[in-house]
Amino acid sequence: MSNFPLINTILVPQGAEYKAVCRGLSGVTGSIPTVVAIPVGMKPLLKYLQQSQLIAPKSRVLIMGICGSLSDRHTVGDIVLYQDCIYQGKLQECDRTFTAQLHSSISDKVSLVKSLTSDRVIWSAAEKRHLGETLAADVVDMEGFTALEFFNAAGVDVAILRVVSDDCQHNIPDLTSAINSDGSLNPFPLAMGMLQQPVAAARLIRGSLTALKVLKQVTNLLFSGYSYK
């Protein structure tokens, strides 16, 4: 772990993902980065970053969380490390040196991927496969491109490490309406969306629980140096 990079701050979507990362760090001795809960979604995140001024230039930020797969190569529980993010034909790259250092420290457990950032939930398996094929993207999230665009302009090195929570073979509930304009989750539309598609909801819950467990484990692995099973 001698080449493990110094990380100043971890950004992770608020709620279960944030809690999983905090649990992963709870048993780590020594210095650990500041962990900051961020809003879900592109517009809420941009507004938050513009107002917060929480990151100094020349610092290193690791973004963590869960994502959806757009490819048969990546399934629930897989750990992925982003090379870049695309959104509407534009591309933002993660810091290559930072990413390479992270990759070398857990190379046996992580895949390097290309990501798509979406401003809505991509819930249909058919759309996931279509996007994966047409855009040559491996995974999808709702924050990556926005964060990279903001921090790259500010001279902040960024790497993105996520865990796959849903595959591209099955639909998940369309929960776009459950995301508030401030990037928080609205419990009532969330529950209604789940109830309307119980099979898809059960699959999403199982996948999310698996991914959150792995997210906790890989956080602990990164910052303690211990192997996990």
Side-chain angles (χ1 to χ4, degrees), residues 16-42:
E17 295 163 82
Y18 173 77
K19 291 175 183 174
V21 169
C22 289
R23 284 197 299 271
L25 291 171
S26 64
V28 175
T29 56
S31 60
I32 58 173
T34 303
V35 186
V36 179
I38 58 173
V40 175
M42 300 183 72

Side-chain angles (χ1 to χ4, degrees), residues 101-136:
Q101 289 172 328
L102 284 170
H103 185 245
S104 67
S105 66
I106 52 169
S107 58
D108 58 329
K109 297 180 175 66
V110 68
S111 301
L112 289 167
V113 296
K114 296 181 175 294
S115 172
L116 166 70
T117 297
S118 173
D119 53 12
R120 59 185 173 84
V121 176
I122 307 297
W123 59 271
S124 156
E127 185 179 12
K128 286 187 189 182
R129 292 194 296 272
H130 174 73
L131 289 169
E133 290 163 6
T134 56
L135 300 176

Side-chain angles (χ1 to χ4, degrees), residues 127-159:
E127 185 179 12
K128 286 187 189 182
R129 292 194 296 272
H130 174 73
L131 289 169
E133 290 163 6
T134 56
L135 300 176
D138 302 294
V139 298
V140 61
D141 69 25
M142 297 181 69
E143 299 86 24
F145 182 90
T146 298
L148 285 172
E149 187 173 49
F150 180 85
F151 288 125
N152 285 344
V156 174
D157 294 344
V158 180

Side-chain angles (χ1 to χ4, degrees), residues 64-76:
M64 302 186 77
I66 59 178
C67 61
S69 175
L70 302 177
S71 163
D72 289 333
R73 293 188 300 275
H74 307 290
T75 189
V76 173

Side-chain angles (χ1 to χ4, degrees), residues 14-89:
Q14 61 191 8
E17 295 163 82
Y18 173 77
K19 291 175 183 174
V21 169
C22 289
R23 284 197 299 271
L25 291 171
S26 64
V28 175
T29 56
S31 60
I32 58 173
T34 303
V35 186
V36 179
I38 58 173
V40 175
M42 300 183 72
K43 287 182 179 178
L45 176 59
L46 180 59
K47 184 178 179 181
Y48 173 82
L49 292 174
Q50 288 171 337
Q51 294 176 348
S52 64
Q53 298 180 322
L54 57 91
I55 311 296
K58 304 300 181 186
S59 59
R60 278 184 153 182
V61 173
L62 176 61
I63 297 169
M64 302 186 77
I66 59 178
C67 61
S69 175
L70 302 177
S71 163
D72 289 333
R73 293 188 300 275
H74 307 290
T75 189
V76 173
D78 286 359
I79 304 166
V80 294
L81 186 62
Y82 290 15
Q83 294 174 296
D84 51 49
C85 278
I86 55 171
Y87 174 71
Q88 294 185 348

